Amino acid sequence: DMACGSIWVLSFSDHIQQALIQSNIGKDILISMGCNPSNEEVQANACAALWNLAYNVHEYKRTLVKLFAWERITYAMSSFPTSVNVQENACGAIWCMADETTLDSLFSVDPGNAILNALFNHPWNRRVNKYGCAAIMTLSFDLKFRDSLMRLDAGSALIGAMNRHDSNEVILRYVTAALYNLSDGAANKLTLRNLDAIRSLDKAIKSVPLQSDVREYALQTRRRLLNPYYY
């Protein structure tokens, strides 16, 4: 626990982050996760350390994926569903590690269920909702994930987060961007309309400044939902 916690704290420094990456410390972190599957603190700190190591370092994201980071992170989430620290840090790690170069490998693990469970289990925790919605947004950029997420009731999770955290512009930005992505396709549009998404989007539009990205995402999503021919 102390080792992973120390790496997490040290990796906030860009200089130290690069030194840790050059030593491939991620391999040791993942080994520690595998050796301590029932230790909540190890799992939480390890996910936090992986999050920092992957932040804005695209090549190392791919290295971590090859070391089965996705599997370790999602296993930690399923092992400690009530742990705010594990869920927040794991969602943050997935958010940072998922990009166009790693999403194909992530699809075989499909972390959508773990992320949505985090949102359903911790509906009022702002940090879990912030990074959980950010992770869903990132996954939803990939066509392969959209139908999977909607089948897992991502619409309900996102709209619930938007309604509960209606004063948090960051959460609203991630939610509205994710809903825009997920509103692609007639079946998904119908599902979101039936969840009263338009009412929630209207509320979000009114709650943010005129120049906010939230307004743009919400307005574009609203147009998609109301017009079957609008893409």
Side-chain angles (χ1 to χ4, degrees), residues 170-181:
V170 176
I171 291 176
L172 292 179
R173 183 184 304 119
Y174 293 140
V175 170
T176 52
L179 288 174
Y180 176 76
N181 292 339

Side-chain angles (χ1 to χ4, degrees), residues 188-199:
N188 289 352
K189 289 179 184 180
L190 178 60
T191 298
L192 292 173
R193 285 200 300 270
N194 288 340
L195 290 169
D196 214 5
I198 293 172
R199 182 192 298 270

